[in-house]
Amino acid sequence: MNYEVKNVWSVLLRLYHWALVLSIVALVVTGFYINNPWTNTTLEGSVSFPMAVMRYIHFVAGYLFTAAVLVRIFLFVFGNKQERIMDILPVTPRNLKSLATTIGYYSYLSEKHDSRLGHNTLAGIFYLITIIAALFQLASGFYMLYPEAGFWQGMGGTLFGSQQEGRFLHHLLMWYFILFAFAHVYMVVWNDLKSPEGLVSSIFTGKKFKRKNA
């Protein structure tokens, strides 16, 4: 089978991906600590002051997370053909066909594989849901960080109600991102093993391999 190399992901998308990965890992680890510290409480208020360190890392990672999300929204509009939002929305015959094909392929009902360069429609839908969840996550985070700022107080009060309700949603969404990360890694590796198109390497190189007759 002959393959040809295709440029798929821009440098900016790859930077977004790894910024999101790093920020989520840092936010989850520090978030768990902030919620339930596992160090000896006698360390608090001492020279080491681990809670302050964890909160600082959490805040920095939160800004990185925010920047990554904004970059992805920018690419939804101004990215290359594979990165734009219309390439994943199930509103065109091509995308609806991709959705049906992918569901059959993932459920082992069909061996037919959607060999499009970008995301298949099913994956794209979940990525879009994840970006929407990320917007609520960062909004609830800034609401807790700046409760007295007029903008965040107004937005937070409208979206979440009280600070405690915002914190509860913030915690729930963390679990969504944890589950999404595990599912994402599993599906990417599964796809790479089933269809040798360089899916895993593409997030490093920006290139995928496409069958010449596909």
Side-chain angles (χ1 to χ4, degrees):
M1 185 70 69
N2 292 323
Y3 288 82
E4 53 186 345
V5 179
K6 296 283 188 179
N7 291 316
V8 181
W9 309 126
S10 65
V11 173
L12 193 55
L13 184 129
R14 284 175 276 154
L15 288 174
Y16 141 78
H17 176 273
W18 291 114
L20 194 71
V21 170
L22 291 174
S23 62
I24 288 175
V25 170
L27 287 166
V28 167
V29 172
T30 56
F32 273 125
Y33 184 88
I34 293 168
N35 181 66
N36 186 23
W38 57 76
T39 57
N40 193 320
T41 55
T42 59
L43 293 174
E44 303 301 339
S46 66
V47 175
S48 60
F49 206 172
M51 178 60 79
V53 173
M54 289 291 189
R55 283 171 56 86
Y56 178 75
I57 295 172
H58 196 80
F59 298 155
V60 171
Y63 278 105
L64 179 61
F65 181 84
T66 302
V69 171
L70 293 177
V71 166
R72 189 61 185 100
I73 293 173
F74 172 84
L75 291 172
F76 273 145
V77 181
F78 300 107
N80 65 32
K81 182 181 178 182
Q82 292 77 233
E83 297 165 353
R84 296 191 181 192
I85 193 168
M86 288 307 297
D87 195 57
I88 60 173
L89 290 179
V91 295
T92 64
R94 173 177 177 265
N95 288 353
L96 288 171
K97 181 181 178 181
S98 168
L99 180 60
T101 300
T102 304
I103 291 174
Y105 187 63
Y106 284 179
S107 57
Y108 294 95
L109 296 175
S110 171
E111 285 297 318
K112 188 177 181 182
H113 170 58
D114 183 12
S115 59
R116 65 197 295 169
L117 282 177
H119 300 303
N120 64 64
T121 306
L122 183 62
I125 290 172
F126 276 98
Y127 294 149
L128 181 59
I129 291 171
T130 300
I131 292 299
I132 294 171
L135 290 173
F136 280 95
Q137 185 75 323
L138 65 89
S140 60
F142 281 117
Y143 179 41
M144 290 186 289
L145 181 59
Y146 301 115
E148 297 177 357
F151 175 79
W152 292 113
Q153 187 180 57
M155 178 179 286
T158 301
L159 291 176
F160 313 113
S162 68
Q163 281 267 313
Q164 187 58 32
E165 289 170 323
R167 182 180 182 276
F168 180 67
L169 180 64
H170 197 74
H171 188 79
L172 286 181
L173 286 174
M174 178 195 70
W175 284 104
Y176 169 82
F177 284 101
I178 292 172
L179 294 174
F180 171 81
F182 279 107
H184 174 65
V185 171
Y186 172 81
M187 292 308 300
V188 166
V189 173
W190 183 88
N191 272 280
D192 216 34
L193 293 173
K194 289 271 288 182
S195 304
E197 297 172 350
L199 186 59
V200 173
S201 63
S202 69
I203 203 60
F204 296 96
T205 65
K207 303 179 187 298
K208 290 177 71 175
F209 303 97
K210 186 176 177 65
R211 293 176 185 175
K212 286 189 176 181
N213 61 344

